[in-house]
Amino acid sequence: MIATASPSSAPDVAPPVDRFNFAQHLLAVNAGRPAKAAFIDDSGTLSYGALDERVRRIAAGLRGLGLKREERVLLLMLDGNDWPVSFLGAMYAGLVPVAVNTLLTAADYAYMLEHSRAQAVLVSGALLPALTAAMTQSDHEVQKVIVSHPVAPLHPAEIEFETFVAGATMMAKPAATHGDDPGFWLYSSGSTGRPKGTVHSHANPYWTCELYGKAVLGLTEADVCFSAAKLFFAYGLGNGLTFPMSVGATTILMGERPTPDATFKRWLGGSDGLKPTVFYGAPTGFAGMLAHPALPAANDVALRLVSSAGEALPAEIGERFKRHFGVDIVDGIGSTEMLHIFLSNRPERVRYGSTGWPVAGYQIELRGEGGESVPDGELGDLYIHGPSAAMMYWGNRQKTRETFQGGWTKSGDKYVRNTDGSYTYSGRSDDMLKVSGIYVSPFEVEATLVQHPAVLEAAVIGVPDAEGLTKTKAFVVRKAGATVTEDELKLFVKERLAPYKYPRQIAFVDDLPKTATGKIQRFKLREQEAGSA
């Protein structure tokens, strides 16, 4: 059998109409529930009716600055009620919001300002110093800076968010955009290097809502959603904004880091007593929560559905979570380029250790190094064909051609298709190791190491030996108070995997370099090793 998933259709999902503005679409879906809570942050509740008004006011305000259709607006904001207002307001106006990571440096923001040529910036007050430093470093001129929750007096070129919204009239109707018009940008997370500006259309989030949020997760108006992944990432954007709004659900937004303590506080109801029914996390976060002494009891939370993405979920973590809470973790894989998840387990069908089955509406193919399809059980590069693929990488024709190939998107992941049609992750294409002429998956070794009761996290890379041959090296974070030796861990892996896969070297470290989504940055470990050689 060839490892190619036949096209899976979603016959009940009608394509968006030709004249389509995604922000207007979400507002129209919720026009009949004006009093219902749409978003809740630490400062209060934003109803769907108030959201509609504020989106249309900020849309008019941005256009009133002289911004024109398809010009970019940088969105550098902590998760909170002003984030969806800003994002949807820009789209409603026919502008293109560029949502960026809030944990970057001034140099990163200077690059993004110049790369996107953003004409205005919407920024949280706590992040204004980094933006100011970026604007000082950059030759690009920004017309206006709008500051949400300022923490210091503003300069004349800056305007307070509430003042800006209150001073604008409501935009009567949305910009006459089409489904294929540029809707927003997301920058790739940088797990393998410098981020790329990924351009998505107005129609792309519509497809992810219909094909995954509704058809796979089964979200409903009754759900209360909470995502550890922030809104500026593709995964978090679906989790915390587009999916809940597409069904009229309520979302809890959190500006602070998703530590176990912060997450548990929301699970237990927070100050408003409203408990999430749906939680979206990542494997690294789940590992930390399960090891935390304040892990809540199952009967203290209201979780009915738990999702995972960002990196492959080790089976052991999923099984431990299920034993404790009685709820499966539904693992899937998505990407910035495809906007959300295209290969996933199902709430009613979970195979731990695998990423699950193709989402209806997407076609999956595994290809060998020469571009040929590979049979079941053999390693291949993952390609996806589906309606939510990005339009391009802005200003990067070479990378666009390498990734978007005739309707197919090359994910950069290595997978194996199983006989039941599910897919098992084997690592990133650029993280794969060839030891003694045989591919070794860093993830497989990492997943085995974390099964040891003393290990919290692990990352595996390839390092050259004295003869220039690649050998595996593991970086291991031990659980608090736990002890284990290098030889003990090597033996532990040898007993569970083929002998050639065990790590030849093990270094114990306090933490691992990660992106803001929790992905381990193996390239930084490789750079560190190269520098010490």
Side-chain angles (χ1 to χ4, degrees), residues 224-235:
V224 177
C225 300
F226 173 47
S227 175
K230 299 301 183 181
L231 291 169
F232 54 76
F233 291 112
Y235 181 48

Side-chain angles (χ1 to χ4, degrees), residues 137-157:
Q137 296 176 25
S138 172
D139 293 331
H140 176 71
E141 293 185 7
V142 174
Q143 293 186 33
K144 185 66 70 174
V145 175
I146 302 159
V147 185
S148 169
H149 299 289
V151 296
L154 300 180
H155 295 294

Side-chain angles (χ1 to χ4, degrees), residues 195-275:
K196 300 177 288 293
T198 310
V199 182
H200 280 285
S201 71
H202 274 265
N204 283 2
Y206 169 85
W207 286 114
T208 60
C209 290
E210 298 297 319
L211 300 178
Y212 194 75
K214 295 180 183 179
V216 174
L217 297 182
L219 298 180
T220 73
E221 180 183 5
D223 279 314
V224 177
C225 300
F226 173 47
S227 175
K230 299 301 183 181
L231 291 169
F232 54 76
F233 291 112
Y235 181 48
L237 181 64
N239 300 342
L241 198 162
T242 65
F243 290 0
M245 282 195 69
S246 73
V247 297
T250 297
T251 299
I252 295 172
L253 295 176
M254 179 176 73
E256 63 186 294
R257 289 179 56 247
T259 62
D261 285 329
T263 300
F264 298 158
K265 176 183 175 181
R266 275 72 183 183
W267 281 9
L268 296 173
S271 58
D272 56 18
L274 193 64
K275 296 181 179 182

Side-chain angles (χ1 to χ4, degrees), residues 348-363:
E348 71 284 356
R349 189 186 186 194
V350 171
R351 176 179 171 173
Y352 285 124
S354 86
T355 312
W357 296 263
V359 172
Y362 294 88
Q363 186 176 355

